[in-house]
Structure formats: structure tokens, C-alpha cells
Amino acid sequence: MIAPSTVWRIGVSQLVCWGVSYYLIGAFAPAMIADLGWSPAVIHGGYSAGLLVMGLSSPVIGRLVERHGGRPVMSVGSVLTALGCAGLAVAETRAVYYVAWIVLGLAMRCTLYDAAFAALARIGGAAARRPISQITLLGGLASTVFWPIGYALAEIVGWRHALFCYAGFALLTLPLHLAIPGTRAEPREISSVPGTGSAPAPTPDKTLAAALYALIVMATSLLNSAMSAHMIGILHGLGVAAATSVWIATLRGVGQSGARLAEVMFGRRIGPLDLNVLATSILPIGFVAGLFGGVLGPAAIGFAFVYGAGNGLATITRGTLPLVLFHPRTYGSLVGWLITPSFFLAAAAPLGYALVIERWGPAAALHLSLAVALLTVAAALVLRLRFGPSRP
């Protein structure tokens, strides 16, 4: 079993680590562009470089968590996050800027959900499903908390000093990670899969299950990366005032955590495969609402909130689907390999979306997102129909 104190510590660390690393670019990109005089492509290219490093390091980090547990890996990640933020704060050249993002990329793979999910799976085996859902409650509020904090700090002390503050926040997660237990679930805990809603996939179908899972993770990661970098800019480009765009975009985090709270409270009877269909089906609704965000205020709010809700549930199923599709003991290494392509696609998304918006406008970015979301729904349906529990 996983102690509630462990869940709380990892949940708080997820709130901070997501806020000061993954969502950093959304808060500071405009100030960086204005101060450094670099193009948006160069600024967002650093973020893409970080995500690329996440992908390259994913299999290795997955194996390390599986072998040694989350405590040493995530603790190193806390220090690397602080170093990366400090590196950005002192960056005067593109070389230093990109090296700082490379450090942050490694730090994000060591600290964010995938490492935390693997750590919980190692401690609790198949019983990690509920703790995985619980830690995402706080992690989902990262943009809601840190986007306004980042903008406020940049206004008060400048973006460079704000990033030094972010480095300090990152170091505060070190004691939380050092407190993670180093235990591993007993074999009897791993063999039982309570409340998952389906049995592990048969061995001959493992390749299909892995391919569908990887496709869903790739698509949702692409959308998550793109919206993290450009949601505020898309809203502003559609005609929403700049300050209003920031506050509307923070509703994404409210939607994420609200949906995750509902899953924690009422989702015991919903298996991961069914929840995955629900999560992916919500995503297209958010992008359709976004297309009307420039003329209808409620539509802009709906875009941020509904997309956040769908993404929030998709994050949970990213962690829980492997518990019913594959053997939990191989969670760290197998999932580390399967999610690797998602990091590469996510790395290209900020730069790709920046070019799409620059050439065709924010509406084109939303149309692209809608197409990707519909592809995700199709893959989730096939996965549910092929590997869901048999019906009478």
C-alpha cells in the first residue's frame, strides 16, 4: 500500500515542478522575446529542445526509477530544475539559453508525471491507480498557480529575477522527493488488479495494445505541449485582451483538477479504458468552443476549461492504462520506451504551432488541434473495443 503522506508529498512536488519547468515558457516567453530581441521561434525552440531531451532520456530514466525507485531520480531532478531555471535567468546568448533548456528537459523527465507514476507503480503495484489519480489533482493546478505568479514576478522584479525565484521553488521540492519510500510492491500485490475494470491484454495482442497506447499518448502530448506554449497567445490572437487571456488560460488548470477530483470521488467503477474514451471525447469539444472564443466570451472560457478537463483525465489514463494493458512490474522500462515518441512530437509542437499561427493565424492552430483530437478519440475507441472487459 502507498501511504497518504507519500501521495501528498508527490502531489505537492508535481504542482511545483510542473509550474516552474513545463509551464515556464507560457509565463515568460513574451518578456524574453522583448528583452533578448530573439524571434518567437528561437525562444520556443529552446522549450522544444528541452522536450526533445525528455524523449531521448525517457527509456533510461524509466529503467532507473524501476531499478532504484523514485527517491534518487526525482531528488536529482529537483536540483537539475533549479540549475535549469538559474541558467535561463543568466542567459545572454543562444548557446547558454539552449543549454539551460537541455538541463530542464532532463529535469522534467526526472520529476514530472511519468517519473512519479513509475515511482508509485513500483511502490504499490497495480494498487497505484488511485494514488496516480490523486497526485494529478495538485499537478493539474500548476498552470493556474504559476502562470499568474510568473507574470506578477516578471512585472515586479523582471523575468530574470523571477526565474531565480523559480529556482528556489524547485529546491523546495528536494525534501519532498527525499521522503519517497524506496520499497517495492510484493509479487502478490502486483498480480492483483483491483478496480481496474479489465484484465491485462493477452500476450499475442501486446503489440497492438502498445501501439494504440503510444498513439494516444503522442497525440495528447502534442496537444498538451502546444496549448502550454500557445493557449494564451491563441486567445489573444482571437481578439481577447492580453490580461484577460492570461486569466482565462488559467481556467485550464481548474478544469484539469476539477475533472481529476471527479474521477477520484466517483471513478472507482470506471475502468481506465472507459475513462480514456471519455477523456479523449471531451478534447474536441474544447477546440470547437475555442473557434468561437474571439466573438463569444463564454466560448473562450469553455475552450480553456473543457480542454483542461479532457487533458486532466487523459493524464490519469496515461498512468493507469499500462496497469491493465501490461504487467505492472515492467511499468518503468516498458512505458519509458512507449512514451518516448510522444516527447519528440511534443518537442516539435511549440515551434510547429508558432509557425502555423504566424502563417495562418490562431484559428488554423485550433483546426489542427481539432483534427488531432478526433484521431485520439478513434484510437481510444479501438483500444476499448479490442481490450475492454467482455460483455455477456
Side-chain angles (χ1 to χ4, degrees):
M1 295 297 292
I2 301 173
S5 59
T6 298
V7 177
W8 273 106
R9 291 188 189 103
I10 297 179
V12 172
S13 83
Q14 290 303 292
L15 169 67
V16 177
C17 288
W18 278 93
V20 302
S21 60
Y22 195 89
Y23 291 116
L24 182 157
I25 194 71
F28 295 113
M32 289 176 170
I33 293 169
D35 184 49
L36 294 170
W38 301 341
S39 69
V42 171
I43 295 297
H44 288 289
Y47 179 57
S48 293
L51 296 181
L52 181 63
V53 171
M54 287 181 72
L56 292 172
S57 63
S58 182
V60 175
I61 300 301
R63 287 197 300 271
L64 288 174
V65 175
E66 189 175 279
R67 183 176 304 171
H68 303 291
R71 179 167 57 201
V73 175
M74 298 183 76
S75 297
V76 170
S78 295
V79 177
L80 290 175
T81 303
L83 290 174
C85 290
L88 290 178
V90 300
E92 296 285 356
T93 66
R94 297 183 184 185
V96 174
Y97 178 79
Y98 274 76
V99 168
W101 270 114
I102 288 171
V103 173
L104 275 174
L106 184 59
M108 288 189 285
R109 183 58 183 92
C110 290
T111 57
L112 300 187
Y113 283 148
D114 295 305
F117 293 164
L120 290 171
R122 185 181 189 273
I123 298 169
R129 178 194 169 179
R130 190 166 180 79
I132 283 174
S133 299
Q134 290 169 337
I135 68 165
T136 63
L137 287 174
L138 287 172
L141 292 172
S143 61
T144 301
V145 173
F146 279 92
W147 272 345
I149 288 177
Y151 270 87
L153 287 173
E155 288 289 326
I156 296 170
V157 299
W159 67 271
R160 294 185 184 275
H161 287 91
L163 282 171
F164 278 122
C165 293
Y166 270 34
F169 291 143
L171 290 177
L172 292 177
T173 67
L174 182 57
L176 301 176
H177 292 151
L178 288 173
I180 296 174
T183 56
R184 184 192 290 273
E186 297 296 329
R188 59 183 176 83
E189 295 178 84
I190 290 177
S191 61
S192 61
V193 190
T196 55
S198 73
T203 302
D205 297 324
K206 185 176 180 180
T207 300
L208 176 61
L212 290 170
Y213 172 76
L215 176 60
I216 293 168
V217 172
M218 281 192 291
T220 53
S221 296
L222 182 150
L223 294 173
N224 187 33
S225 173
M227 292 302 106
S228 298
H230 294 291
M231 178 174 278
I232 295 173
I234 287 174
L235 287 168
H236 185 47
L238 291 171
V240 181
T244 305
S245 297
V246 175
W247 287 104
I248 289 177
T250 62
L251 294 176
R252 165 188 168 162
V254 177
Q256 287 182 157
S257 288
R260 291 167 181 170
L261 178 61
E263 194 279 335
V264 169
M265 295 178 64
F266 309 111
R268 287 181 178 269
R269 298 181 180 179
I270 304 176
L273 291 164
D274 293 318
L275 184 64
N276 190 49
V277 173
L278 174 63
T280 56
S281 298
I282 292 173
L283 294 174
I285 299 173
F287 293 119
V288 170
L291 291 171
F292 300 94
V295 294
L296 295 173
I301 293 172
F303 165 42
F305 185 87
V306 174
Y307 168 73
N311 186 63
L313 294 178
T315 302
I316 292 176
T317 60
R318 176 184 179 124
T320 58
L321 279 175
L323 294 174
V324 298
L325 294 173
F326 318 112
H327 199 287
R329 184 171 287 279
T330 63
Y331 191 110
S333 57
L334 178 60
V335 174
W337 278 106
L338 292 178
I339 65 176
T340 296
S342 72
F343 290 120
F344 298 141
L345 204 57
L351 180 57
Y353 268 66
L355 296 174
V356 169
I357 293 170
E358 183 179 356
R359 183 164 183 176
W360 293 292
L366 290 175
H367 280 108
L368 174 60
S369 300
L370 178 59
V372 174
L374 291 174
L375 174 64
T376 310
V377 175
L381 286 171
V382 174
L383 191 66
R384 171 62 180 82
L385 293 173
R386 183 64 186 83
F387 299 101
S390 59
R391 297 178 179 275

